[in-house]
Amino acid sequence: MDFAARITGTGSAFPKKRVTNDSIVQKLSKLGITTSDEWIRERTGICERRISDVEKPEEHNSSLGFSAAQKALEMAGKSPQSIDQIIYATCSPDTPLPSTACWLQHKIGADHAWAMDINAACSGFIYGLVTAEKFIQSGQVKIALVVGGEVLNPILNWEDRNSCILFGDGAGAAVVEQVPSDSSRRILRSHLRSDGNLWDLLCVPAGGSNMEVTPERYAQKLHKLTMKGKEIFKVAVKTMADFALITLKKNQMTTDDLDWFVPHQANLRIIEAVAKRLKFPMEKVLVNVDRYGNTSAATIPTMLDEANRDGRIKSGQTVLLDAFGAGLTYGSILVRW
Ligand code: UT7
């Protein structure tokens, strides 16, 4: 018997604290750095984001993932005990060891699962979904829980106005189940690729095994995120548009066959430029970057959950997910909902 994978439940969770552009303006002005609500809105489309209070265990990355996963399991009508595999996509793990997936397993009580993290930065949820699909197709996994979650706030450099205004915290989850391969509602196609030559466009230089955080490096903020925004912008627009078309073509489809396009939410201008390149109407592009900023691996699953719950995405519709992230990594996946 051949198998396919289907998303049967979604969930999302965000920290309580809303941080408006104006509160960032005030925070940065205390450091002598100028920005404005107008600049942030016009250049990024972001109005506010949520920021975790990391002193509160309930706002740790795996705790947000836990809340999102509970909602997804409830929608799918599944218990934590029924999960075979947990994949946690994140570039801001709770701890270097153990994995955030194991933290989540501990919190949710998925005693029969095996758990692992995937770090593909903002493309992480798509990488996770494709990995779960392959295990499900092989017959080794019947029910997977795929989470994209981030608490990026501790790695942001609040003295870098170019990057700190962009990011937010949150988590989204999907329950992915085995279905017969001839099911109409399933993951249809995907396309993944990365380009490690572009590693320096977005990175956190210190804190890994190749660069310990010494007092000097701490003072230089080498343990914080650094980004070449303009360069990423250009690569992102071209690659996301290319990947969307490649994945559709693999399934003998064009953008005319799509009901919804769910791009990674990094910047509204990137999203609009991709839609323009694809000649795809913005009315069918799902956007939450205005309210949550760039939550990296969480942007796509949180957006999917919102549109799934409010009834925009309907059963049987065709949805294309498309992302890019640090690495650089790229990925797109076509789903019949
Ligand atoms: O998930 C992947 C994560 N990263 C991304 O997706 C980043 C993609 N890139 C972007 O989103 C955009 O390139 C940014 C939002 C980072 C920057 O927007 P931009 O339109 O490319 O601005 P720019 O870098 O060309 O800068 C224009 C001006 C500069 O001033 P000068 O040199 O023209 O005087 C910047 O210094 O805007 C200045 N600027 C700011 N001004 C006010 C940069 N950041 C700010 C700020 N407030 N926060």
Side-chain angles (χ1 to χ4, degrees), residues 9-73:
T10 58
S12 53
F14 293 96
K16 281 208 180 75
K17 191 173 171 193
R18 282 171 202 275
V19 177
T20 61
N21 292 342
D22 280 332
S23 47
I24 291 190
V25 172
Q26 283 167 20
K27 185 178 169 126
L28 295 195
S29 78
K30 288 182 190 143
L31 302 166
I33 300 164
T34 314
T35 187
S36 66
D37 174 51
E38 193 189 8
W39 192 95
I40 300 171
R41 275 176 202 259
E42 276 179 9
R43 307 307 293 171
T44 72
I46 298 167
C47 305
E48 60 178 45
R49 71 288 288 143
R50 304 291 183 90
I51 304 265
S52 277
D53 178 349
V54 289
E55 297 307 320
K56 292 186 181 151
E58 67 272 21
E59 296 208 340
H60 289 170
N61 188 346
S62 63
S63 301
L64 299 175
F66 168 69
S67 302
Q70 275 187 320
K71 292 173 197 165
L73 286 167

Side-chain angles (χ1 to χ4, degrees), residues 34-36 39-40 43-44 122 161-162 165-167 202 227 229-230 232-233 264 266-267 269-270 294 324:
T34 314
T35 187
S36 66
W39 192 95
I40 300 171
R43 307 307 293 171
T44 72
C122 304
R161 66 177 184 173
N162 178 52
I165 52 140
L166 292 175
F167 296 94
L202 185 54
M227 186 183 85
K230 249 186 168 8
I232 296 177
F233 194 112
H264 169 49
N267 181 326
R269 283 166 51 227
I270 294 180
N294 179 351
F324 69 96

Side-chain angles (χ1 to χ4, degrees), residues 158 200 298:
W158 288 98
D200 64 336

Side-chain angles (χ1 to χ4, degrees), residues 229-240 270 277:
K230 249 186 168 8
E231 285 92 328
I232 296 177
F233 194 112
K234 284 184 220 146
V235 182
V237 172
K238 182 178 182 320
T239 317
M240 283 176 83
I270 294 180
R277 248 180 135 99

Side-chain angles (χ1 to χ4, degrees), residues 218-237:
Y218 187 88
Q220 291 172 275
K221 297 203 183 303
L222 291 179
H223 58 304
K224 301 285 187 180
L225 182 146
T226 154
M227 186 183 85
K228 296 183 181 166
K230 249 186 168 8
E231 285 92 328
I232 296 177
F233 194 112
K234 284 184 220 146
V235 182
V237 172

